[in-house]
Amino acid sequence: MSSSPSPSSALPFSADSAPPAALHLAVALDGAGWHPAAWREPVARPGELFTARYWADLVTEAERGLLDFVTIEDGLGLQSSHFTEPDGRTDQVRGRLDAVLIAARVAPLTSHIGLVPTVVATHTEPFHISKAIATLDYVSTGRAGVRVQVSARRNEAAHFGRRTLPAFEDVEDLGRPEVRELTADLFDEAADYAEAVRRLWDSWEDDAEIRDVATGRFIDRDKLHYIDFEGKHFSVKGPSITPRPPQGRPLVSALAHEGPTDAPFRLLGRSADLGYVTPRDAGHAHAIVTAVRAEQDAAGRGDEPLHLFGDLVVFLDDAPAAAAARRERLDSLAGQPYTSDARIFTGTPAQLADLLAELAQAGLTGFRLRPAVVGHDLPAITRGLVPELQRRGVFRRAYEADTLRGLLGLARPASRYAATA
Amino acid sequence: MSKSTSPDKPLKQIHLAAHFPGVNNTTVWSDPEAGSHIEFSSFAHFARTAERAKFDFLFLAEGLRLREQGGQIYDLDVVGRPDTFAVLTALAAVTEHLGLTGTINSTFNEPYEVARQFASLDHLSDGRAAWNVVTSWDAFTGENFRRGGFLPQEERYSRAKEFLTTAHELFDSWRGDEILADQETGTFLNDAKVGAFVHQGRHFDIQGQFNVPRSPQGRPVIFQAGDSEEGREFAAEGADAIFSRYSTLEEGQAFYTDVKGRLARHGRTHDQLLILPAATFVLGDTDAEAEELSREVRRKQVSGATAIKHLEFVWNRDLSAYDPEGPLPDIDPDLGEHTVARGRAQVRMYRDPLATAREWRELAAANKWSIRDLVIETGNRQSFVGSPATVAEAINSFVQADASDGFILVPHITPGGLDAFADTVVPLLQERGVFRTEYEGTTLRDHLGLAHPDATPSIPEPVSVPTPDPAPTSVPASAGR
Ligand SMILES: Cc1cc2nc3c(=O)[nH]c(=O)nc-3n(C[C@H](O)[C@H](O)[C@H](O)COP(=O)(O)O)c2cc1C
């Protein structure tokens, strides 16, 4: 498996001479699925979205399919079809539980799959999130990650009352100077946040707890470190109150779109172990990979592994027509065609496997699939796509590691504060 | 049976909870049986023991900065703890009935986020969440947070109160009947304004829509821990339970009478606020064996170095040159700003260091105590020491004498320190008919005999709400216990 996910070493389907490299696969869990009418499908369980059983069933299914990890979406306000405002709709799923806590709740019920909840960096405290994700790593014995997200929603800012954000209508507005400035600021703050969180994980060296009965010391205080992080929006003294987690540093991931500012890719380059990107096709994927790698080099992390996963919304059925019909049926229930920041795939598991192969050629190391209807498309991934990828020799047949970093071929990093001599 | 129990008074049912032994010098980490205080397996073992014993809940304390002494991280006690919400929610997966109480600070958090976390915990545990609201204000802790240490000490209960009020507004912003999820008609919600709230107050000026549906308990059970006049009023006004520190009979009764006496003024009844002191215990096959073990435990809890450090909290100066087995220092405490011990919640004890020092010197002289003896004798007396029968009787008498409604037990071994209590003392309390043999309900409110709070009957008007009292529970507590 590829342990150094740079573009050149990560061609999952290469020429006949070389054996095909492994693909990594994650699913993005969000309510009843990513299509706004997903909850109306007979397989959906819309009355159970706020129960532990629902989430345990989904993550267990993903683990049955040997997926690398699941992400769990979150937000600090009601879901909305509008960019920055609530939409007042009552015909779609609204309301959600805290994603970190959903992950913690399912951790003891699973044993191999990675758990990657979303956290909103804009309104939360890096100190709290650092210990929450470290604890997720403890309760899952090494399977925690986090997806760091920014929020430009005005209503979410009003839930905290600490900052006000400008209004904007849609994607075109992202080019306006004040919106550009805001986006850059939010993403750079998130990069600071990710950095502070990672330093807090390093703030206890692995062997800080000594329990030295002879001297009566429980810890070696020389192995605990102040992080003294100073950013534009916050500062954190440290050290963490939670000892260094099993993986050393849980996986840090973020979704980044190309756009009017470089800040989203800069966030990946500076502090992420894994980025989710949204290529339209292989050429676009190649351009994105090149741009992110440039940010990674600029941050002086060129030699560190940084996974890049392509995000795709998927409607999967055994016959292409069935998938297309399902999409149409859902669109008509929703009253409008579904659009997404990610490419929407409609077809069979074999067709999807072909597409993934093509995109992977461009330097992506894995994919995060967003099931359009979780009750249908998640099992289609685990029971249809996964066997197809296994037949092609590009997906694991058993979990080969116990930690999320291990599954992704990422070494356990040493604390940056540990004396090397 | 205690003679203070009159024959016609029905026996009170005892509430028992388990405090995971964490950051303090109760824990004897040097004991060969001491395990990890961080690994989830420790929490799972502890929680399963508490549930096997039919305890009401598991309790977690919190500290948001590592303690320091003389500018250095304090290294003699257990250090380090996991995140309260994540560990409690994970415990919901390995237990079915046990309540899950987390200490969460109101100074270094925001109401929207904390309300979401507690509502989520309540959903994910099917109604077992409780919140111990604490208020530490110091700039030392604040250095870890965006907000920093701006909050003056006298503002902490003002913010705590408004924080709790705001959280209640958020919990109550969903009535519980909004989700229709009607797949036929395509109506997910029956109300576009679901979760609407407006709060304009001194500490929070926020508005919008809360995004977690009403949870099984409506709101988490609310605990208060803190002993000042403001703390007691805060509890009497809006808490469901107090985590107190009085585990001697006279102090316990005085506190109990005082706090319960405040309830009527807030339109609340006697059984709407439970008083649950922290308590430690040492068990032996016989009372003599337990006494012996207790002495051993106390010496392990207080090493010579620990004794010196504890004296430094009061003296506020470096006493490392003193011999812990020798007499107390004859110099007086430094009355300047307290710079020696930082991050300790119990600073009240040291408000008059001169008097404390004088008192301690007299005590030590009269009893011929060394520094270490003094710290052991004044600070580490176990609440209950004896055979299981003795401990069961003592606990029962204490509760029947209205010195508390039960206890939050802190064992000195992680995580197995509760096992013997569960196996030997609990059956004796059950035989006496003062402790449940089975859980009768599923939620923590059920275990504690607290009423289920009503949701606000209508959608709140978008008007400014200054700082109203949290709505008291309007249904009398069930008489089932
Ligand atoms: C039994 C007890 C336990 C407490 N546990 C905590 C705790 O875990 N974390 C914390 O920050 N404060 C804790 N506190 C501190 C209180 O919340 C409060 O801030 C402190 O007692 C000062 O308030 P007061 O002046 O009302 O007593 C505890 C207090 C008591 C009495």
Side-chain angles (χ1 to χ4, degrees):
Chain A
M1 85 174 275
S2 156
S3 60
S4 153
S6 66
S8 56
S9 67
L11 300 176
F13 300 84
S14 43
D16 302 15
S17 51
L23 264 186
H24 296 286
L25 212 52
V27 285
L29 300 178
D30 186 13
W34 287 74
H35 194 288
W39 70 272
R40 297 186 62 183
E41 287 286 279
V43 290
R45 296 152 63 185
E48 292 180 48
L49 299 177
F50 306 98
T51 66
R53 187 158 43 114
Y54 177 76
W55 293 96
D57 287 351
L58 299 190
V59 179
T60 310
E61 177 63 32
E63 184 167 75
R64 219 174 282 133
L66 308 177
L67 302 192
D68 290 79
F69 61 91
V70 296
T71 60
I72 303 168
E73 299 301 304
D74 207 353
L76 295 169
L78 285 178
Q79 298 91 325
S80 174
S81 52
H82 188 279
F83 227 48
T84 58
E85 317 288 338
D87 62 6
R89 291 180 77 141
T90 55
D91 63 333
Q92 299 178 358
V93 170
R94 293 291 180 265
R96 54 165 106 239
L97 303 181
D98 183 277
V100 176
L101 300 192
I102 291 174
R105 179 65 175 77
V106 298
L109 308 176
T110 51
S111 55
H112 284 93
I113 194 160
L115 302 166
V116 183
T118 296
V119 305
V120 177
T122 312
H123 302 299
T124 60
E125 294 282 356
F127 190 84
H128 286 317
I129 289 303
S130 162
K131 65 185 160 66
I133 302 300
T135 302
L136 180 62
D137 210 38
Y138 279 105
V139 304
S140 66
T141 55
R143 296 181 285 127
V146 62
R147 177 168 83 96
V148 176
Q149 189 179 33
V150 305
S151 169
R153 291 184 179 276
R154 290 152 55 85
N155 63 314
E156 294 185 12
H159 293 161
F160 288 80
R162 287 200 292 224
R163 61 219 280 178
T164 46
L165 303 174
F168 51 100
E169 286 299 315
D170 50 35
V171 188
E172 278 82 71
D173 279 347
L174 287 173
R176 270 167 37 205
E178 72 274 23
V179 178
R180 279 176 62 152
E181 197 180 313
L182 170 75
T183 331
D185 191 47
L186 291 176
F187 272 95
D188 285 342
E189 179 186 16
D192 278 354
Y193 187 101
E195 194 50 34
V197 164
R198 284 155 47 101
R199 285 197 206 175
L200 285 165
W201 290 333
D202 281 348
S203 66
W204 289 57
E205 292 182 38
D206 291 317
D207 51 358
E209 184 181 315
I210 51 172
R211 299 192 184 224
D212 185 30
V213 178
T215 59
R217 291 176 310 144
F218 182 80
I219 44 153
D220 177 352
R221 64 160 72 103
D222 294 337
K223 296 190 170 182
L224 298 181
H225 304 273
Y226 298 102
I227 69 162
D228 287 318
F229 186 89
E230 296 275 350
K232 183 174 159 201
H233 291 280
F234 59 84
S235 60
V236 180
K237 180 78 185 168
S240 179
I241 58 166
T242 307
R244 196 155 194 261
Q247 293 184 100
R249 292 181 208 146
L251 184 84
V252 172
S253 67
L255 172 64
H257 301 111
E258 65 179 349
T261 85
D262 301 333
F265 288 170
R266 194 156 61 234
L267 163 63
L268 299 188
R270 271 183 65 187
S271 301
D273 300 299
L274 189 152
Y276 313 99
V277 295
T278 50
R280 292 183 297 273
D281 52 39
H284 190 209
H286 186 75
I288 290 171
V289 170
T290 307
V292 177
R293 297 288 171 211
E295 289 293 348
Q296 192 186 353
D297 287 338
R301 291 176 72 227
D303 55 345
E304 287 179 35
L306 168 59
H307 274 286
L308 291 178
F309 275 33
D311 262 20
L312 297 167
V313 180
V314 298
F315 291 83
L316 286 177
D317 280 284
D318 290 340
R326 198 154 54 86
R327 180 173 170 181
E328 274 168 35
R329 183 172 76 236
L330 285 162
D331 282 354
S332 79
L333 282 174
Q336 67 210 56
Y338 175 54
T339 59
S340 171
D341 58 323
R343 174 165 167 175
I344 302 170
F345 172 86
T346 311
T348 67
Q351 289 171 326
L352 180 57
D354 289 342
L355 174 63
L356 300 189
E358 189 191 321
L359 290 172
Q361 294 276 6
L364 299 178
T365 53
F367 296 90
R368 184 176 74 146
L369 304 179
R370 308 181 187 172
V373 176
V374 80
H376 182 104
D377 296 298
L378 173 61
I381 291 166
T382 53
R383 296 163 199 219
L385 176 69
V386 164
E388 177 65 32
L389 295 173
Q390 287 169 333
R391 267 192 295 280
R392 299 179 185 203
V394 293
F395 197 68
R396 66 172 66 85
R397 289 177 181 274
Y399 279 113
E400 69 276 31
D402 291 330
T403 67
L404 177 54
R405 292 189 82 91
L407 292 178
L408 292 168
L410 303 174
R412 185 181 188 281
S415 162
R416 76 194 66 198
Y417 301 106
T420 39
Chain B
M1 192 58 41
S2 159
K3 53 181 177 308
S4 53
T5 309
S6 60
D8 51 338
K9 189 176 162 192
L11 283 179
K12 274 168 76 180
Q13 288 293 303
I14 297 173
H15 294 282
L16 289 178
H19 185 315
F20 187 86
V23 174
N24 52 44
N25 75 322
T26 310
T27 312
V28 180
W29 55 259
S30 57
D31 192 290
E33 294 198 2
S36 171
H37 65 299
I38 297 289
E39 303 291 335
F40 183 63
S41 55
S42 284
F43 286 90
H45 176 96
F46 191 73
R48 286 183 174 125
T49 307
E51 182 159 278
R52 172 161 64 83
K54 316 290 182 222
F55 276 26
D56 293 53
F57 59 92
L58 176 147
F59 183 94
L60 292 183
E62 182 183 62
L64 295 171
R65 179 137 180 214
L66 297 184
R67 294 167 176 187
E68 286 184 4
Q69 179 109 330
Q72 289 190 305
I73 291 167
Y74 191 79
D75 60 358
L76 303 177
D77 293 346
V78 167
V79 179
R81 42 179 133 214
D83 178 73
T84 299
F85 284 116
V87 85
L88 289 181
T89 312
L91 286 175
V94 300
T95 55
E96 266 180 59
H97 289 93
L98 190 67
L100 302 162
T101 303
T103 299
I104 293 292
N105 190 290
S106 59
T107 303
F108 305 109
N109 284 290
E110 298 300 322
Y112 194 93
E113 191 184 9
V114 166
R116 270 197 96 213
Q117 289 167 312
F118 273 113
S120 297
L121 175 61
D122 207 43
H123 277 287
L124 293 168
S125 65
D126 297 314
R128 298 190 270 144
W131 174 13
N132 178 34
V133 188
V134 296
T135 60
S136 37
W137 71 90
D138 57 287
F140 172 73
T141 306
E143 284 176 23
N144 281 333
F145 298 97
R146 288 179 193 254
R147 195 175 275 279
F150 82 91
L151 198 65
Q153 177 172 351
E154 55 281 9
E155 296 258 349
R156 65 207 167 93
Y157 275 111
S158 156
R159 178 170 163 114
K161 229 165 129 166
E162 192 178 324
F163 196 113
L164 188 59
T165 301
T166 311
H168 280 170
E169 287 161 7
L170 296 170
F171 294 133
D172 288 348
S173 67
W174 288 66
R175 299 177 307 273
D177 59 1
E178 296 90 344
I179 296 180
L180 299 183
D182 186 333
Q183 293 179 314
E184 279 305 304
T185 62
T187 309
F188 188 80
L189 293 173
N190 64 11
D191 175 4
K193 288 264 183 293
V194 68
F197 69 93
V198 179
H199 180 98
Q200 282 174 342
R202 181 175 159 148
H203 298 276
F204 308 107
D205 182 358
I206 62 175
Q207 58 177 304
Q209 283 175 282
F210 190 51
N211 72 346
V212 182
R214 195 163 179 83
S215 71
Q217 291 189 112
R219 308 163 178 177
V221 173
I222 301 297
F223 281 70
Q224 184 269 358
D227 191 25
S228 58
E229 177 64 25
E230 310 102 280
R232 291 178 185 207
E233 271 304 295
F234 176 77
E237 190 178 325
D240 298 304
I242 297 187
F243 179 32
S244 81
R245 52 170 134 250
Y246 298 114
S247 52
T248 68
L249 191 75
E250 299 70 28
E251 285 176 334
Q253 285 175 322
F255 183 77
Y256 194 93
T257 309
D258 176 83
V259 180
K260 295 253 181 178
R262 295 169 187 252
L263 288 166
R265 267 190 282 133
H266 298 285
R268 305 179 70 203
T269 58
H270 213 248
D271 50 3
Q272 285 180 316
L273 179 66
L274 297 171
I275 309 234
L276 303 173
T280 55
F281 60 91
V282 176
L283 294 169
D285 288 341
T286 62
D287 288 354
E289 193 188 302
E291 283 297 344
E292 176 57 35
L293 190 58
S294 158
R295 266 190 296 278
E296 260 175 56
V297 168
R298 284 151 64 195
R299 287 193 77 74
K300 283 189 192 157
Q301 287 167 327
V302 183
S303 66
T306 299
I308 294 292
K309 294 291 181 196
H310 273 247
L311 229 54
E312 288 182 353
F313 303 161
V314 172
W315 261 259
N316 193 24
R317 50 168 100 231
D318 179 4
L319 301 177
S320 54
Y322 286 81
D323 175 5
E325 309 297 343
L328 268 66
D330 42 21
I331 53 164
D332 275 333
D334 181 343
L335 296 182
E337 188 201 351
H338 208 294
T339 53
V340 166
R342 302 209 283 179
R344 302 225 164 224
Q346 67 272 38
V347 281
R348 275 169 60 75
M349 182 177 157
Y350 311 115
R351 281 203 185 142
D352 189 352
L354 281 180
T356 308
R358 203 178 319 116
E359 203 181 294
W360 283 5
R361 276 197 214 103
E362 284 164 13
L363 264 175
N367 293 289
K368 298 200 174 27
W369 286 339
S370 67
I371 290 176
R372 189 173 177 199
D373 293 334
L374 175 104
V375 172
I376 288 173
E377 295 300 328
T378 57
N380 278 72
R381 192 163 289 290
Q382 277 89 15
S383 320
F384 298 107
V385 176
S387 68
T390 301
V391 168
E393 179 54 31
I395 286 178
N396 189 36
S397 312
F398 197 98
V399 172
Q400 303 307 337
D402 281 346
S404 82
D405 295 307
F407 291 96
I408 300 180
L409 297 168
V410 198
H412 60 265
I413 300 286
T414 312
L418 200 61
D419 300 18
F421 191 97
D423 294 332
T424 63
V425 181
V426 167
L428 296 175
L429 294 172
Q430 289 168 332
E431 271 172 32
R432 284 171 156 79
V434 292
F435 191 65
R436 70 171 69 83
T437 52
E438 284 305 330
Y439 289 105
E440 290 136 41
T442 57
T443 68
L444 177 55
R445 278 182 194 280
D446 293 338
H447 308 336
L448 294 173
L450 298 169
H452 192 92
D454 291 329
T456 27
S458 60
I459 306 155
E461 289 296 305
V463 291
S464 122
V465 188
T467 44
D469 298 338
T473 45
S474 55
V475 185
S478 74
R481 47 198 62 250

